[in-house]
mmCIF file of all heavy atoms in Angstrom:
data_model
loop_
_atom_site.group_PDB
_atom_site.id
_atom_site.type_symbol
_atom_site.label_atom_id
_atom_site.label_comp_id
_atom_site.label_asym_id
_atom_site.label_seq_id
_atom_site.Cartn_x
_atom_site.Cartn_y
_atom_site.Cartn_z
ATOM 1 N N PRO A 139 75.406 94.120 122.596
ATOM 2 C CA PRO A 139 74.858 94.617 121.332
ATOM 3 C C PRO A 139 75.954 94.792 120.276
ATOM 4 O O PRO A 139 77.054 95.234 120.595
ATOM 5 C CB PRO A 139 74.231 95.966 121.709
ATOM 6 C CG PRO A 139 74.752 96.307 123.067
ATOM 7 C CD PRO A 139 75.148 95.026 123.718
ATOM 8 N N GLY A 140 75.632 94.405 119.051
ATOM 9 C CA GLY A 140 76.604 94.533 117.960
ATOM 10 C C GLY A 140 77.715 93.508 118.024
ATOM 11 O O GLY A 140 78.711 93.630 117.294
ATOM 12 N N GLY A 156 82.065 94.985 120.342
ATOM 13 C CA GLY A 156 80.697 95.485 120.158
ATOM 14 C C GLY A 156 80.489 96.309 118.910
ATOM 15 O O GLY A 156 79.497 97.032 118.810
ATOM 16 N N GLY A 157 81.402 96.247 117.937
ATOM 17 C CA GLY A 157 81.193 96.947 116.669
ATOM 18 C C GLY A 157 81.255 98.455 116.803
ATOM 19 O O GLY A 157 82.242 99.023 117.288
ATOM 20 N N ALA A 158 80.174 99.135 116.392
ATOM 21 C CA ALA A 158 80.188 100.602 116.312
ATOM 22 C C ALA A 158 80.225 101.277 117.681
ATOM 23 O O ALA A 158 80.600 102.447 117.777
ATOM 24 C CB ALA A 158 78.976 101.089 115.524
ATOM 25 N N SER A 159 79.842 100.574 118.744
ATOM 26 C CA SER A 159 79.937 101.185 120.083
ATOM 27 C C SER A 159 81.396 101.347 120.495
ATOM 28 O O SER A 159 81.710 102.152 121.372
ATOM 29 C CB SER A 159 79.212 100.317 121.128
ATOM 30 O OG SER A 159 79.954 99.124 121.365
ATOM 31 N N GLY A 160 82.283 100.559 119.874
ATOM 32 C CA GLY A 160 83.696 100.584 120.254
ATOM 33 C C GLY A 160 83.980 99.851 121.553
ATOM 34 O O GLY A 160 85.125 99.756 121.980
ATOM 35 N N ILE A 161 82.924 99.319 122.175
ATOM 36 C CA ILE A 161 83.104 98.664 123.480
ATOM 37 C C ILE A 161 83.591 97.232 123.275
ATOM 38 O O ILE A 161 83.154 96.540 122.363
ATOM 39 C CB ILE A 161 81.772 98.660 124.269
ATOM 40 C CG1 ILE A 161 81.338 100.103 124.571
ATOM 41 C CG2 ILE A 161 81.899 97.861 125.569
ATOM 42 C CD1 ILE A 161 79.945 100.219 125.164
ATOM 43 N N GLN A 177 86.736 100.816 125.871
ATOM 44 C CA GLN A 177 86.028 101.352 124.714
ATOM 45 C C GLN A 177 87.016 102.043 123.781
ATOM 46 O O GLN A 177 87.753 102.942 124.203
ATOM 47 C CB GLN A 177 84.932 102.343 125.144
ATOM 48 C CG GLN A 177 84.136 102.876 123.954
ATOM 49 C CD GLN A 177 82.968 103.763 124.367
ATOM 50 O OE1 GLN A 177 82.989 104.371 125.438
ATOM 51 N NE2 GLN A 177 81.967 103.851 123.504
ATOM 52 N N ILE A 178 87.044 101.594 122.532
ATOM 53 C CA ILE A 178 87.768 102.328 121.498
ATOM 54 C C ILE A 178 86.874 103.523 121.141
ATOM 55 O O ILE A 178 85.668 103.342 120.919
ATOM 56 C CB ILE A 178 87.993 101.444 120.246
ATOM 57 C CG1 ILE A 178 88.655 100.099 120.615
ATOM 58 C CG2 ILE A 178 88.784 102.204 119.194
ATOM 59 C CD1 ILE A 178 90.029 100.184 121.223
ATOM 60 N N ASP A 179 87.449 104.725 121.085
ATOM 61 C CA ASP A 179 86.633 105.907 120.827
ATOM 62 C C ASP A 179 85.805 105.727 119.555
ATOM 63 O O ASP A 179 86.279 105.192 118.551
ATOM 64 C CB ASP A 179 87.520 107.153 120.659
ATOM 65 C CG ASP A 179 88.056 107.645 121.999
ATOM 66 O OD1 ASP A 179 87.512 107.239 123.042
ATOM 67 O OD2 ASP A 179 89.031 108.422 121.983
ATOM 68 N N LYS A 180 84.580 106.219 119.620
ATOM 69 C CA LYS A 180 83.699 106.135 118.454
ATOM 70 C C LYS A 180 84.272 106.968 117.304
ATOM 71 O O LYS A 180 84.999 107.941 117.517
ATOM 72 C CB LYS A 180 82.306 106.641 118.817
ATOM 73 C CG LYS A 180 81.521 105.668 119.678
ATOM 74 C CD LYS A 180 80.090 106.145 119.790
ATOM 75 C CE LYS A 180 79.240 105.146 120.559
ATOM 76 N NZ LYS A 180 77.812 105.484 120.427
ATOM 77 N N ASN A 181 83.888 106.582 116.099
ATOM 78 C CA ASN A 181 84.370 107.292 114.910
ATOM 79 C C ASN A 181 83.474 106.872 113.744
ATOM 80 O O ASN A 181 82.978 105.758 113.725
ATOM 81 C CB ASN A 181 85.822 106.888 114.609
ATOM 82 C CG ASN A 181 86.446 107.746 113.528
ATOM 83 O OD1 ASN A 181 86.601 108.950 113.713
ATOM 84 N ND2 ASN A 181 86.791 107.151 112.405
ATOM 85 N N ALA A 193 81.434 102.841 110.712
ATOM 86 C CA ALA A 193 81.483 103.311 112.107
ATOM 87 C C ALA A 193 81.966 102.238 113.080
ATOM 88 O O ALA A 193 81.919 102.435 114.292
ATOM 89 C CB ALA A 193 80.102 103.805 112.537
ATOM 90 N N ILE A 194 82.425 101.079 112.552
ATOM 91 C CA ILE A 194 82.851 99.982 113.443
ATOM 92 C C ILE A 194 84.267 100.256 113.942
ATOM 93 O O ILE A 194 85.228 100.224 113.167
ATOM 94 C CB ILE A 194 82.774 98.624 112.718
ATOM 95 C CG1 ILE A 194 81.318 98.317 112.364
ATOM 96 C CG2 ILE A 194 83.370 97.503 113.569
ATOM 97 C CD1 ILE A 194 81.134 97.050 111.550
ATOM 98 N N THR A 195 84.396 100.534 115.232
ATOM 99 C CA THR A 195 85.731 100.788 115.794
ATOM 100 C C THR A 195 86.244 99.609 116.618
ATOM 101 O O THR A 195 87.411 99.595 117.000
ATOM 102 C CB THR A 195 85.753 102.070 116.654
ATOM 103 O OG1 THR A 195 84.823 101.932 117.721
ATOM 104 C CG2 THR A 195 85.396 103.291 115.831
ATOM 105 N N ALA A 196 85.372 98.645 116.928
ATOM 106 C CA ALA A 196 85.817 97.417 117.614
ATOM 107 C C ALA A 196 85.283 96.227 116.840
ATOM 108 O O ALA A 196 84.123 95.852 116.974
ATOM 109 C CB ALA A 196 85.344 97.384 119.062
#
Side-chain angles (χ1 to χ4, degrees):
S159 71
I161 297 172
Q177 182 175 26
I178 307 298
D179 285 344
K180 286 189 176 191
N181 189 64
I194 296 176
T195 60

